[in-house]
Amino acid sequence: MNNTGSSSGATVWVVALVAAVVLVGLFRFLVLGGVALLGLALLGLLIWLSAGFISSQNRAARQIPLPDDDAEQPPPARWPGQTSAEEAVEEARAAGASNMRTAWISWHLRSLPPPEQSRDPRLLTGTLSVVPQADWDVDRLRTHGRALWSLRTGARRHGLLDELDARLDRVVAMISDLTDTEFDTGLGQVNDQYLYHPDRQVRTAYLEGGALGVELIMDAVTAARARAREDAATRAAAESLARQRNAALRALRETHHPTAGRDARTAWEEQARKLEE
């Protein structure tokens, strides 16, 4: 009986030991298998992400055109202070001419208004449609000139800056002919940036630009006077034609009751001959 109990107990222990070994092996298999599966999943995710990144790079490369060797390449960007000496001289000359013209306009308009912020082109075209007349006084010319100056930003935006500046020069030239005060050209060259530039060529170019600005002012005054003479001649011709046409209509009315056999053309010729005498 004791031997039977002992063998049964030993059998139980053996079975328990085998079961423990099997469970430990199964647990290790599951753990290692799970880790392996997790590693495979992570590897697949990395491969998928890499493939997506490579494909996106290829699409971007196809969308960006390759540089054309024959096409004109933009000039390299310049850092502040890297402007060449030739460009600095040209900028100084242009600034001298612009400063002189602006000072001349400001002197005769008495003040320069701020730029108009409206983007409506009708304001610009409406102002340009108002043609200054020879009988305008100085105040009316100044009002029109200030309106023109305030619209320069809009004129540049709509491609009408040249036309507006030509009108502005004409108005200011008309004012200069109507006023007794003389413009001091020294007011047109007060830009210290160029007047006291360390480069002698830049200073000389700025003064040359001022001389060019004075020449432009003289040209504007001459053109305004020529335009005034043309307007006066056109006005005289229009008045003469109006008198002749009125005479023709008057003669046509007289043909309602013809006298001495005269027709309308004969009466018109007679009236025209009287006007010429």
Side-chain angles (χ1 to χ4, degrees):
M1 292 292 294
N2 292 333
N3 291 335
T4 303
S6 298
S7 23
S8 298
T11 303
V12 171
W13 282 106
V14 169
V15 172
L17 180 61
V18 171
V21 171
V22 171
L23 289 176
V24 170
L26 181 62
F27 177 77
R28 291 181 61 186
F29 175 78
L30 292 176
V31 170
L32 293 177
V35 172
L37 290 176
L38 181 60
L40 291 175
L42 291 176
L43 180 61
L45 179 61
L46 290 175
I47 295 174
W48 180 75
L49 292 176
S50 300
F53 177 78
I54 294 173
S55 61
S56 64
Q57 291 293 324
N58 292 333
R59 286 196 300 269
R62 287 195 297 269
Q63 292 176 355
I64 300 176
L66 294 177
D68 188 1
D69 294 337
D70 298 332
E72 182 179 358
Q73 298 297 327
R78 292 182 180 271
W79 293 95
Q82 286 186 326
T83 306
S84 64
E86 293 80 4
E87 291 177 345
V89 168
E90 292 302 322
E91 290 176 359
R93 184 176 290 107
S98 177
N99 292 161
M100 184 64 69
R101 176 178 175 269
T102 301
W104 177 63
I105 294 174
S106 177
W107 171 264
H108 288 293
L109 294 183
R110 297 289 178 84
S111 64
L112 296 180
E116 176 63 44
Q117 300 300 327
S118 175
R119 293 180 176 268
D120 190 354
R122 292 176 296 181
L123 179 61
L124 175 61
T125 56
T127 304
L128 287 174
S129 65
V130 179
V131 181
Q133 303 296 324
D135 58 350
W136 283 15
D137 59 12
V138 174
D139 292 336
R140 189 171 183 182
L141 287 170
R142 280 178 178 150
T143 300
H144 186 60
R146 293 189 187 108
L148 292 170
W149 179 268
S150 66
L151 295 174
R152 294 185 79 248
T153 302
R156 182 181 293 105
R157 185 183 302 117
H158 297 289
L160 296 174
L161 183 60
D162 292 340
E163 180 180 352
L164 186 139
D165 279 348
R167 171 69 63 79
L168 183 61
D169 288 344
R170 179 188 172 190
V171 170
V172 177
M174 294 173 67
I175 296 174
S176 68
D177 278 343
L178 294 176
T179 56
D180 296 331
T181 56
E182 296 181 357
F183 168 65
D184 181 8
T185 58
L187 299 174
Q189 291 184 320
V190 293
N191 192 328
D192 294 344
Q193 176 184 357
Y194 297 106
L195 196 60
Y196 303 108
H197 196 277
D199 191 340
R200 182 186 300 274
Q201 292 183 346
V202 173
R203 297 197 301 269
T204 303
Y206 181 68
L207 297 177
E208 291 174 352
L212 177 61
V214 173
E215 293 180 2
L216 295 176
I217 292 172
M218 295 173 64
D219 291 342
V221 174
T222 302
R225 291 175 179 176
R227 179 63 181 273
R229 290 192 296 269
E230 292 176 0
D231 291 347
T234 302
R235 189 180 303 106
E239 293 174 355
S240 176
L241 287 174
R243 289 194 298 268
Q244 293 182 17
R245 291 162 182 165
N246 292 338
L249 293 175
R250 190 180 305 111
L252 181 61
R253 287 196 302 271
E254 291 180 359
T255 58
H256 238 356
H257 305 287
T259 58
R262 295 185 305 168
D263 58 8
R265 180 168 295 278
T266 302
W268 178 79
E269 291 176 352
E270 182 180 350
Q271 290 290 340
R273 188 166 53 254
K274 291 179 180 180
L275 291 173
E276 292 177 356
E277 295 175 354

